[in-house]
Amino acid sequence: MFRKAQRRLREVFEHGAHGREREAVEELNSLLEAHPVHPRISGHESGNWHIHVTSRGSAVSAEYLAGAVWGLSVWLCEYGSARFGVCADDRCGNVYLDTSSNNCRRFCSERCATRSHVAAHRARKKAAVTELAAHSKAQLKPAVPQQSTLTPVG
């Protein structure tokens, strides 16, 4: 159940991250139909009330899934699908909700951001060293005298 839902939830994030809000909404609506939400107020002490999103007797997995779908639906309605993201680190592939103030997040975590930035820095440094070596090699290469071609006059 979770594996299938995971693929579908990822599609929601990919649609949102690529500006396809209508597709994200359609997928969430489909998930809401497949995992209907039945909100109920629950609590253990007076004043400590909270909402559960499925009816009593549901499997725990169904309750978590319904909660995730409901939460993403509320998030989309509140902030739009542009806040759904897929980690920019090619080795990761995780998804995230962008909670930054200016909607500028590109990575799922600081770890992925650091790993990606370090890899980019090392690649630039390696390219600079390679370019410097090629330039130095070209300067050390002895100049080959060119033979001049004489054209007879006359």
Side-chain angles (χ1 to χ4, degrees):
M1 173 197 268
F2 278 132
R3 292 254 185 242
K4 186 176 180 183
Q6 179 184 13
R7 284 189 294 272
R8 293 184 69 191
L9 288 170
R10 180 174 181 80
E11 288 176 15
V12 171
F13 279 86
E14 287 177 357
H15 291 319
H18 294 100
R20 298 186 311 258
E21 189 163 82
R22 180 153 309 282
E23 288 91 341
V25 168
E26 288 171 2
E27 188 63 34
L28 277 173
N29 279 334
S30 176
L31 283 163
L32 284 169
E33 282 183 37
H35 306 282
V37 176
H38 304 284
R40 65 182 175 90
I41 298 173
S42 179
H44 308 287
E45 297 176 18
S46 181
N48 188 22
W49 302 109
H50 54 278
I51 295 179
H52 286 258
V53 294
T54 61
S55 61
R56 191 178 300 264
S58 292
V60 173
S61 59
E63 199 164 318
Y64 278 120
L65 191 51
V69 172
W70 183 53
L72 288 175
S73 300
V74 169
W75 179 273
L76 185 139
C77 291
E78 185 73 23
Y79 301 105
S81 69
R83 295 285 184 149
F84 291 5
V86 178
C87 188
D89 186 347
D90 295 333
R91 296 165 289 184
C92 177
N94 286 338
V95 296
Y96 60 89
L97 291 172
D98 187 351
T99 58
S100 65
S101 60
N102 57 355
N103 194 21
C104 65
R105 189 170 171 182
R106 294 182 34 231
F107 299 94
C108 68
S109 66
E110 284 295 319
R111 181 179 180 186
C112 279
T114 300
R115 183 174 54 206
S116 184
H117 291 128
V118 167
H121 171 74
R122 287 180 179 160
R124 285 190 306 272
K125 191 173 180 180
K126 184 178 179 180
V129 167
T130 303
E131 184 180 327
L132 181 60
H135 182 69
S136 296
K137 190 175 181 180
Q139 285 183 341
L140 294 176
K141 192 175 185 181
V144 178
Q146 299 210 356
Q147 294 179 351
S148 63
T149 311
L150 296 175
T151 314
V153 180

